[in-house]
Amino acid sequence: YCRDTFTPQFSVSNPGSSTVTSFTVQYNIDGGTNQNFSWTGSLANGASTTVTLPVLTAATGAHTFNVTLLNPNGSADQNTANNSGSSTFSTVTDGNTVTLTLLTDCWGEEVSWNIEDAANVIIFSQAASTLGDKITVTNSMCLTNGCYDFNIFDSFGDGLAGTASGCAIDGNYSI
């Protein structure tokens, strides 16, 4: 997330035989203090729904969001083995979203790129042999304020000038 606040969402499925009309969501960030949220609705056997929790705040860095469902229909769950989940995420306080749009020529597999911070540490990258031919790829990244270098490479050495080598299009990029 390119900010310190986010709205958690997760999907819930009902593999049981009874319709679920309520449950308690217990959740936390990084194993911290649990918060509770009461869900009500109608979740039939085999159905799924998306649950949206209140806005949370997390400091800049890598985190783990943990969630556990309790007390379906106000009762103890008969199968607690499928009630918990977790997801990793990162936040950047006061970050800026930067979008890289890259069009490959006929030899997309030759292209790779990276973004380095002021200390020459690679913070985002795309390896060679991972891009298709004549496709547009869009990558959104979150950067803190500062100076960065964008480096793009072509393993064959002809760059994105596809028409110079018999391709119908030239590649290009914009940030």
Side-chain angles (χ1 to χ4, degrees):
Y1 298 97
C2 205
R3 60 194 178 283
D4 60 355
T5 59
F6 64 100
T7 304
Q9 290 185 320
F10 59 92
S11 179
V12 177
S13 298
N14 179 6
S17 58
S18 301
T19 297
V20 175
T21 58
S22 67
F23 53 79
T24 300
V25 179
Q26 190 174 73
Y27 60 99
N28 67 60
I29 298 173
D30 299 330
T33 303
N34 283 324
Q35 298 183 51
N36 292 313
F37 177 83
S38 295
W39 178 89
T40 58
S42 181
L43 189 58
N45 167 264
S48 62
T49 190
T50 299
V51 176
T52 302
L53 297 175
V55 173
L56 292 176
T57 302
T60 293
H63 300 281
T64 302
F65 175 76
N66 304 295
V67 63
T68 301
L69 304 184
L70 305 167
N71 306 318
N73 296 335
S75 303
D77 194 342
Q78 296 173 356
N79 179 11
T80 59
N82 62 357
N83 290 7
S84 298
S86 64
S87 180
T88 59
F89 68 99
S90 296
T91 58
V92 177
T93 304
D94 298 325
N96 298 294
T97 300
V98 176
T99 302
L100 166 65
T101 303
L102 171 65
L103 170 65
T104 62
D105 60 13
C106 291
W107 303 278
E109 68 279 356
E110 297 175 353
V111 178
S112 62
W113 60 264
N114 68 45
I115 295 178
E116 296 178 353
D117 65 13
N120 298 321
V121 174
I122 295 173
I123 55 174
F124 294 103
S125 64
Q126 177 84 49
S129 300
T130 60
L131 295 172
D133 300 339
K134 299 186 277 185
I135 62 167
T136 299
V137 179
T138 302
N139 292 290
S140 292
M141 299 156 278
C142 185
L143 301 175
T144 57
N145 291 329
C147 294
Y148 298 89
D149 288 323
F150 173 71
N151 304 296
I152 188 163
F153 308 97
D154 180 277
S155 62
F156 190 74
D158 59 351
L160 297 172
T163 56
S165 299
C167 183
I169 63 167
D170 286 331
N172 64 58
Y173 64 89
S174 65
I175 299 177

